[in-house]
Amino acid sequence: MAPNYSPNESDGLVTIPVQRLDTICKQAPYSTELDAIKERERCDYTQKITYQMARSGTAPRLIRVYADGIYDLFHQGHARQLMQAKNVFPNVYLIVGVCNDKLTHSRKGRTVMNDEERYEAVRHCRYVDEIVRDAPWELDDEFIEKHKIDFVAHDEIPYSTDDCNDVYAKIKAKGMFVATERTEGVSTSDIVARIVKDYDIYVRRNLQRGYTAKELNVSFLSEKKFRFQNKMVELKDKVRKGKDDFITKWEERSTDLIKTFLLMFDKERISIFLSDSKQRIRSALSPPGSPGSGSNHSLNDCEDDLESPDSVLDSPPTKRSNVLLRDGTEVMKNRRHLLSEEDDDEHAVYGLHSPGVVHEDEDDDDEDDDDDEAYLDTRSRPSSNYNISLLAGGDSASAAGTALNSSSSSGSRNYGNRHC
């Protein structure tokens, strides 16, 4: 129950406290139920309430407002109309009349919901305080007196029938009519038209949800057609889902590749890579260093560089002869040293030595020395393929070549005299 209605004494008028039913916590009762009967008996209908009293809020009791309709496929348009009727005056007790199927089908046509379903849909609306079943199509004085109705709420559009142009004309004449506004864009007829327009879709929907062709009133061939269409839709959904999954996986894979690339080629790694690349390019483009290319290269350095056999063979003929001469001298020194050591060993062992034998050994040594000198002389002499005069050029080259030959031959003689 809502709190008591507080009296207004500002104008010197004394009003009796009344109570409002809290219709939010429970469903609205039917007019034949006990709660509705008690509320109707509590109403002093002898106190007539004018429109001015109702608007000003000075009514001595609850204002009983009546709204009627079919309320098929109860939607937000119906709820908004009942909300307006509930709030048209302060302290309103809203009674809603719903026509039965027989009257509705004869006057307006076929409904989607039957009358019991429509009753239950309306009685659970939060703005409704009481439900009148089997409501009349046109209101008469007897019905108004029975339910103690003070005002009737409906939209202002005239509602015509076969007998009259407006069924609410008498109510309007008595000053008991209050207007409500219709909700544009929504009505029961619009919802039905929407279903008829998409008939195939809703038939396929219900077949997919387990309804039989007999329940939906479709033929055998139509049923097969609708089921085939459902299968095609499912296949398209699977293909679309697979495509979306593929794109999603590809995006994830590309993201991983980009992250890996950025980790591999971050700022530090790129710097190292560039420095290594520059070093490789510099090494590839710079020529290898040539030994002994300096102008102040000394003779001793040249001799050290030509110690290897490859360097000796690659050197000019004159320089090659000096190297071979020096190497041959060292070899002969070592050989004579070994021979002298062998002779000393023989003298120590036998203690004898005849002059003839000594002279024979010395002759053998002289012959060996001559052979060695001849061998070295042939090795140190330049080949006939080299023309020293052409290589040196001019008279100075000839003189240099003569001096070189003379020096080499004298060196050979000295070498032979040293070892005689």
Side-chain angles (χ1 to χ4, degrees):
M1 301 293 290
N4 291 339
Y5 179 76
S6 59
N8 186 2
E9 298 179 355
S10 60
D11 298 332
L13 299 176
V14 178
T15 57
I16 59 173
V18 294
Q19 293 180 337
R20 295 188 59 181
L21 293 175
D22 190 357
T23 58
I24 297 177
C25 298
K26 61 180 182 179
Q27 60 188 8
Y30 292 119
S31 60
T32 56
E33 292 182 354
L34 183 61
D35 291 340
I37 294 172
K38 288 182 178 180
E39 180 62 28
R40 187 165 55 250
E41 290 176 352
R42 192 164 41 242
C43 175
D44 186 6
Y45 197 62
T46 59
Q47 295 178 330
K48 298 297 181 180
I49 298 175
T50 64
Y51 183 82
Q52 288 75 15
M53 292 174 59
R55 292 292 294 175
S56 62
T58 58
R61 57 176 175 81
L62 291 174
I63 303 171
R64 296 172 68 88
V65 177
Y66 177 82
D68 59 353
I70 308 300
Y71 302 107
D72 189 21
L73 297 175
F74 190 84
H75 52 73
Q76 72 269 27
H78 297 144
R80 286 173 61 87
Q81 186 254 342
L82 297 178
M83 181 185 68
Q84 294 176 53
K86 179 71 175 179
N87 294 280
V88 69
F89 302 122
N91 201 22
V92 168
Y93 181 85
L94 182 60
I95 305 168
V96 179
V98 182
C99 302
N100 57 29
D101 287 343
K102 183 179 180 181
L103 181 61
T104 303
H105 295 168
S106 63
R107 293 281 186 157
K108 195 170 184 177
R110 184 82 178 179
T111 59
V112 177
M113 302 169 65
N114 58 40
D115 49 10
E116 293 295 333
E117 293 170 343
R118 291 185 283 114
Y119 299 155
E120 288 294 325
V122 176
R123 74 183 299 199
H124 286 84
C125 179
R126 61 181 298 184
Y127 309 114
V128 179
D129 296 315
E130 183 181 330
I131 295 293
V132 177
R133 294 178 290 187
D134 303 326
W137 199 262
E138 298 179 15
L139 301 179
D140 53 12
D141 293 338
E142 183 183 357
F143 182 83
I144 293 173
E145 292 289 337
K146 178 181 178 181
H147 294 282
K148 298 181 179 181
I149 298 172
D150 294 318
F151 296 94
V152 177
H154 202 274
D155 58 83
E156 290 182 338
I157 301 174
Y159 199 85
S160 61
T161 62
D162 297 336
D163 300 333
C164 62
N165 294 328
D166 190 2
V167 296
Y168 299 103
K170 294 180 181 180
I171 305 297
K172 292 177 181 178
K174 293 179 181 180
M176 299 175 60
F177 183 85
V178 290
T180 59
E181 296 180 359
R182 294 177 64 90
T183 303
E184 297 295 334
V186 57
S187 66
T188 303
S189 300
D190 293 338
I191 296 174
V192 173
R194 203 181 305 169
I195 295 173
V196 173
K197 178 182 177 182
D198 298 327
Y199 169 78
D200 291 354
I201 295 175
Y202 292 111
V203 171
R204 286 162 45 193
R205 169 183 176 271
N206 285 359
L207 285 174
Q208 192 173 8
R209 295 193 174 190
Y211 286 86
T212 62
K214 184 178 180 180
E215 292 173 335
L216 298 176
N217 195 25
V218 295
S219 63
F220 176 79
L221 294 178
S222 298
E223 178 189 5
K224 297 303 178 184
K225 181 188 73 173
F226 293 140
R227 293 192 183 278
F228 177 75
Q229 290 176 351
N230 287 336
K231 294 294 182 182
M232 293 300 296
V233 171
E234 292 177 1
L235 181 60
K236 288 180 181 179
D237 292 340
K238 289 181 180 179
V239 172
R240 189 181 299 110
K241 183 179 179 181
K243 183 179 179 181
D244 294 340
D245 293 342
F246 175 77
I247 293 174
T248 303
K249 291 180 180 178
W250 178 255
E251 289 177 352
E252 293 176 355
R253 181 61 178 167
S254 62
T255 303
D256 295 339
L257 291 174
I258 292 171
K259 289 181 180 179
T260 305
F261 178 81
L262 293 177
L263 290 175
M264 291 178 61
F265 295 95
D266 57 356
K267 186 175 181 181
E268 183 178 357
R269 292 176 181 269
I270 290 176
S271 301
I272 296 173
F273 175 76
L274 291 177
S275 61
D276 292 344
S277 300
K278 290 179 180 179
Q279 187 66 27
R280 290 190 189 124
I281 294 172
R282 195 176 293 121
S283 301
L285 294 178
S286 61
S290 58
S293 60
S295 59
N296 296 326
H297 192 65
S298 63
L299 181 61
N300 293 329
D301 294 337
C302 292
E303 291 178 354
D304 294 338
D305 294 339
L306 295 174
E307 289 295 333
S308 63
D310 295 335
S311 61
V312 171
L313 294 177
D314 293 337
S315 61
T318 55
K319 192 177 293 186
R320 188 191 310 169
S321 62
N322 293 332
V323 173
L324 292 176
L325 180 60
R326 186 191 62 187
D327 294 341
T329 303
E330 295 295 332
V331 171
M332 293 306 299
K333 284 182 179 180
N334 293 332
R335 185 174 179 181
R336 283 191 58 81
H337 180 69
L338 292 174
L339 290 175
S340 62
E341 288 180 354
E342 290 178 359
D343 292 341
D344 293 339
D345 292 338
E346 288 178 358
H347 291 312
V349 173
Y350 298 106
L352 297 174
H353 123 209
S354 88
V357 176
V358 171
H359 289 294
E360 184 178 358
D361 293 337
E362 291 178 355
D363 293 339
D364 292 335
D365 293 338
D366 293 339
E367 291 177 359
D368 293 335
D369 291 340
D370 294 337
D371 294 336
D372 293 337
E373 290 176 0
Y375 172 74
L376 292 175
D377 186 52
T378 57
R379 293 293 303 271
S380 63
R381 193 177 297 126
S383 175
S384 60
N385 294 331
Y386 292 93
N387 193 339
I388 299 176
S389 61
L390 292 176
L391 294 173
D395 296 335
S396 60
S398 301
T402 304
L404 182 61
N405 291 331
S406 61
S407 64
S408 63
S409 56
S410 62
S412 300
R413 286 195 299 273
N414 292 334
Y415 171 77
N417 293 333
R418 258 197 322 269
H419 290 83
C420 287

